Structure formats: structure tokens, C-alpha cells
Amino acid sequence: EGNGRVRDARVVVIGLGGVGSHLATMLGRAGVRWLRLVDFDLVSLSSLNRHAAAGLRDVGTKKTECVKRFIEATAPFVQIDSCPIMFDSRTKEQILSDDIDIVFDCIDDVDTKAILVEACVKKNLRIICAMGAGAKADPTRLCVAPLADAVHDPLAVKLRWKLRGRGLDYGGLEDPNHDGKVADPFTVLCVYSYEPPR
């Protein structure tokens, strides 16, 4: 039953850099049969050290096409919808239009993350957000938790602040006046490290 749920999931990955490229390739290898890959950017020479699917020959190509080619070579059963566009308030309906099961946010811009989270919450779509790992080195402190519970993560703090400005309250220790009531905590999960930044 669990394998069937993975196989039949309709998954969107937004942002195909150091986090999203690894996630997308592993989802394909794990057996997910339908992926929508979203990124407006091109592979750059400076990003090769962290990209899962790109090599020197890919510099200057669309990240979506690079990751799509890689997945097709390693997991040809995956149906890939490649969207080489920027996610923003103008494209959110197009990107989140189909019968989606889960969205993975691998965006590194907090304003865009907030637009995506708000759109997913309004559509009742489950979303998992990748937070920051800069200046952190202990893999034993990685966890998946509700956004409200993410501690020692500056990106999570900024995202909660942006979301409060959009009328979505996901709590957080940074707000001393918080009454403890948050939006559905399991709608927005995040991957983060509770290791204090060095």
C-alpha cells in the first residue's frame, strides 16, 4: 500500500538547485511516476559543486531540462512535466493547477517561499519547505517538523514573519506575544536543522 501511494503521487518540486535537484532525482529513483519540475534558471558553472544532475556540458541549459534528462536516463517510467518558469503570484495557478498531492519548496528566496506557502494553504495542498543549512554541519540534527516548531533557523523565522504579514500565523519562538494558536500545523512542514548556526 505504501509503495502504491509513492508510485501514484503527483509531486511538484519548485527550485532545482542544490536541494531541489537532489530531491527530484531521488523521487524518481524512489518510484514516483509523475513529477512537475519548476525552475526558471539555467545551470551555471558556479552551481556545479552542489547540483545533482548537472555536469560541464550542461552549463547554460535550463535546470528543468537538465534534471528531466537525468531522471529519464535513470528512471524512464517517470512522467515529467518540465516548467522552465519562475514561480510567482502570476504563475502560481498554472503551476499548482492539476490534481497535486504534495509540493516541495526548494526555493531560496523568502518572499517567493511565502507566496508559495500561501497558495498551497489556500488550495489545501500539503507542502514541505526546505529551510537553510548554511553554517551547520551536524546531520544528526536534521528533522522534519511543522513550520511552527522550527528553531535555530533564520530562514524559518523570516518565513513565519512574512506569512504573518499575509494573514497566516505559524507561530514561532521569535514572537513573544504569540497566543499559541497557529494555522493547521501539519499543512506546512519543513526540513531544517535545529543546530544553532556557527
Side-chain angles (χ1 to χ4, degrees), residues 43-148:
V43 174
S44 66
L45 190 60
S46 64
S47 68
L48 291 181
N49 66 330
R50 58 190 176 274
H51 203 277
L56 281 172
R57 65 180 171 81
D58 300 304
V59 171
T61 63
K62 296 174 183 173
K63 287 182 180 180
T64 50
E65 291 307 308
C66 176
V67 174
K68 179 180 179 181
R69 258 196 324 269
F70 186 90
I71 294 172
E72 286 174 341
T74 56
F77 53 83
V78 180
Q79 180 184 342
I80 299 171
D81 181 19
S82 176
C83 296
I85 58 177
M86 175 179 261
F87 179 89
D88 59 24
S89 56
R90 294 166 301 176
T91 60
K92 64 185 178 183
E93 294 302 322
Q94 175 187 350
I95 292 169
L96 302 175
S97 62
D98 292 315
D99 185 19
I100 304 300
D101 294 303
I102 191 163
V103 176
F104 287 95
D105 158 32
C106 303
I107 301 167
D108 56 11
D109 175 74
V110 71
D111 291 310
T112 310
K113 276 179 143 11
I115 293 168
L116 176 57
V117 170
E118 180 184 35
C120 287
V121 168
K122 286 183 175 178
K123 289 178 169 287
N124 203 28
L125 287 173
R126 298 198 39 107
I127 180 171
I128 299 179
C129 301
M131 294 293 114
K136 297 183 180 188
D138 185 352
T140 66
R141 296 192 185 189
L142 282 174
C143 61
V144 179
L147 178 60

